Amino acid sequence: MTTLAQIFEKIIGDDVGVAFSAYDGSKAGPSDADLRIEVRSPIAVAYLAQSPGELGLARAYVSGHLDVHGDMYTLLSRMWSLTLNDLPLNAKIDAMRSLGLKPLLMRVPLPPQEVRRSAMARLGSRHAKRRDAEAISHHYDVSNRFYEWVLGPSMAYTCATFPKEDSSLEEAQFTKHDLVAKKLGLKPGMRLLDVGCGWGGMVMHAAKEYGVKALGVTLSKQQAEWAQRAIEERGLGDLAEVRHMDYRDVAESGFDAISSIGLTEHIGKDNLPSYFRSLHDKLKPGGRLLNHCITRPTGKEKTINQGGFINRYIFPDGELESVGYLIRQMEDNGFEIRHEENLREHYAKTLRFWCANLDEHWDEAVQEVGRAIARIWRLYMAGCVVGFERNKVQLHQVLAVRLEEDGNARMPLRPSVDWP
């Protein structure tokens, strides 16, 4: 009879430096390994048999039927071909044959933290307003206290920009907000719209550092409440405001600048033309847009992996496009592109800080949001570090301008020397 350890070795190989133990008593891998995977029950095997690859592993880990002993990032890095690329079809078939029929037929409930596609479908088509609101709430309305522990004092849940290798996370998040401000050419008296503003980091930075009247909008009620409270506490209420609303419902226009930092991933491919067109229409002629978002490395990868871990547990309905596709949509909807850069390595460094913060506050986080949610975040963030390091995903900033009628872009001949 084939043991679970033998199946593990067949799938993973025997040279990754990962030990394995299972409830059937079987073991594999080096006894002195710094990493060990423990299969604690037949339910874990059922998850793996019914969804071989990343989703089955995630379900088993989130539900507590599979444990990881050691550093999660190191484990995923060593097993990156499985955790990032998923198993090829022939490997999945071999694994299912080796496990036999019993795990395939066992009825096991999905972890309650997993988003059901049927439940999302009842809220309307992809990226309908009600459905978008639910998707955002699923990810961002977890617990402000939890996010404070993970993100640190800046409460910035987007890629930081590290001016030096040894910069702190707070220094890097300040630098990111300042980089956006400089690219947008912010000056006192200007009006800024920040769509998908999160906890208001960019809004408050623009108001405090540049004297800009800044409006931020977010679909997360908890984010809006936290941000508006922080604005008042910092004495910025005369310049800064955060509203709980959809960016599509902003009635004001005539903004001097718009920042979109981490929103485009939630828009959806079919909605990108109307998204960029609406931002274009809200700008004054000569106004600038800074679009900062995660992208695919090329246009060849699958746009939506609805069956994957990220879509089921982290970002329901999330969609990534290549930067080339995004730029084409921006150009086709009125913008001229003036600058573009890839900050992929910076996001890997940002995520490493967040992973360390979660580990530092692990017991508090488990108490606040539950062990399953904490495990989801540990798996998600460590996997993203590997993804950015190995160029499975990228982070791009694209600066665009709405031209004046005579073609004037109101741009300097060369970027500021403060741009990296």
Side-chain angles (χ1 to χ4, degrees), residues 368-414:
E368 176 72 14
V369 300
R371 187 170 299 276
I373 295 292
R375 283 184 173 223
I376 288 170
W377 275 80
R378 173 180 273 173
L379 181 61
Y380 149 61
M381 292 195 300
C384 285
V385 176
V386 181
F388 281 105
E389 286 182 344
R390 295 179 183 258
N391 197 31
K392 300 298 292 187
V393 281
Q394 299 178 350
L395 189 288
H396 285 265
Q397 283 192 354
V398 180
L399 177 65
V401 63
R402 174 179 175 172
L403 296 176
E404 295 183 330
E405 287 189 15
D406 62 0
N408 190 345
R410 294 188 188 175
M411 294 289 296
L413 290 176
R414 295 297 302 152

Side-chain angles (χ1 to χ4, degrees), residues 343-357:
L343 299 172
R344 174 171 67 86
E345 294 85 356
H346 291 261
Y347 217 159
K349 287 177 69 67
T350 304
L351 283 153
R352 282 185 175 275
F353 274 99
W354 293 344
C355 288
N357 287 345

Side-chain angles (χ1 to χ4, degrees), residues 237-253:
D238 58 333
L239 287 175
E241 178 189 1
V242 168
R243 299 176 190 166
H244 175 218
M245 69 186 304
D246 194 299
Y247 79 94
R248 290 167 284 195
D249 294 330
V250 175
E252 295 94 327
S253 61

Side-chain angles (χ1 to χ4, degrees), residues 4 14 20 43 46 66 68-70 76 80 92 125 128 164 219 224 234 254 271 300 325 331 399 402 411:
L4 293 175
D14 56 4
F20 176 90
I43 295 177
L66 182 149
V68 172
H69 303 276
L76 297 182
W80 76 277
K92 289 185 178 185
S125 59
K164 298 176 294 185
L219 279 174
R234 298 174 195 188
N271 291 336
K300 298 178 181 179
Y325 185 83
E331 289 175 330
L399 177 65
R402 174 179 175 172
M411 294 289 296

Side-chain angles (χ1 to χ4, degrees), residues 1-9 18-29 36-40 45 99:
M1 179 179 177
T2 305
T3 67
L4 293 175
Q6 289 170 328
I7 297 172
F8 172 82
E9 281 191 325
V18 177
F20 176 90
S21 62
Y23 64 89
D24 66 354
S26 63
K27 296 181 179 180
R36 179 166 62 90
I37 296 175
E38 178 187 5
V39 177
R40 301 183 61 198
V45 179
L99 290 169

Side-chain angles (χ1 to χ4, degrees), residues 248-291:
R248 290 167 284 195
D249 294 330
V250 175
E252 295 94 327
S253 61
F255 291 95
D256 298 284
I258 297 177
S259 50
S260 175
I261 308 175
L263 173 62
T264 314
E265 301 91 329
H266 302 289
I267 297 299
K269 184 175 184 177
D270 293 343
N271 291 336
L272 286 173
S274 60
Y275 164 67
F276 286 121
R277 190 161 52 250
S278 71
L279 299 186
H280 177 273
D281 292 346
K282 290 189 181 302
L283 281 170
K284 290 180 179 178
R288 301 180 196 176
L289 164 68
L290 191 286
N291 198 77

Side-chain angles (χ1 to χ4, degrees), residues 53-183:
E54 65 159 39
L55 184 58
L57 284 168
R59 286 171 172 166
Y61 176 67
V62 168
S63 62
H65 295 286
L66 182 149
D67 268 332
V68 172
H69 303 276
D71 181 64
M72 179 64 77
Y73 161 77
T74 305
L75 174 69
L76 297 182
S77 183
R78 292 181 190 177
M79 297 172 55
W80 76 277
S81 61
L82 170 61
T83 57
L84 292 183
N85 297 331
D86 208 351
L87 285 173
L89 181 59
N90 61 343
K92 289 185 178 185
I93 293 172
D94 286 345
M96 291 163 66
R97 285 174 177 166
S98 299
L99 290 169
L101 286 176
K102 187 174 180 180
L104 283 171
L105 299 176
M106 184 184 297
R107 294 177 62 86
V108 289
L110 297 180
Q113 296 76 21
E114 182 170 321
V115 173
R116 274 59 167 182
R117 281 182 285 181
S118 58
M120 293 297 289
R122 286 195 290 272
L123 297 174
S125 59
R126 291 179 68 86
H127 304 295
K129 287 183 179 180
R130 184 182 173 200
R131 181 161 165 170
D132 272 355
E134 177 60 31
I136 293 298
S137 178
H138 169 82
H139 186 71
Y140 295 99
D141 290 340
V142 175
S143 158
N144 283 334
R145 181 176 296 177
F146 174 79
Y147 277 107
E148 287 171 357
W149 288 326
V150 173
L151 304 180
S154 71
M155 285 295 276
Y157 184 33
T158 47
C159 173
T161 306
F162 291 82
K164 298 176 294 185
E165 282 291 338
D166 60 350
S167 294
S168 69
L169 177 61
E170 290 307 301
E171 181 184 2
Q173 290 292 11
F174 181 95
T175 301
K176 183 267 300 296
H177 287 137
D178 217 48
L179 175 63
V180 172
K182 285 184 170 70
K183 287 181 176 180

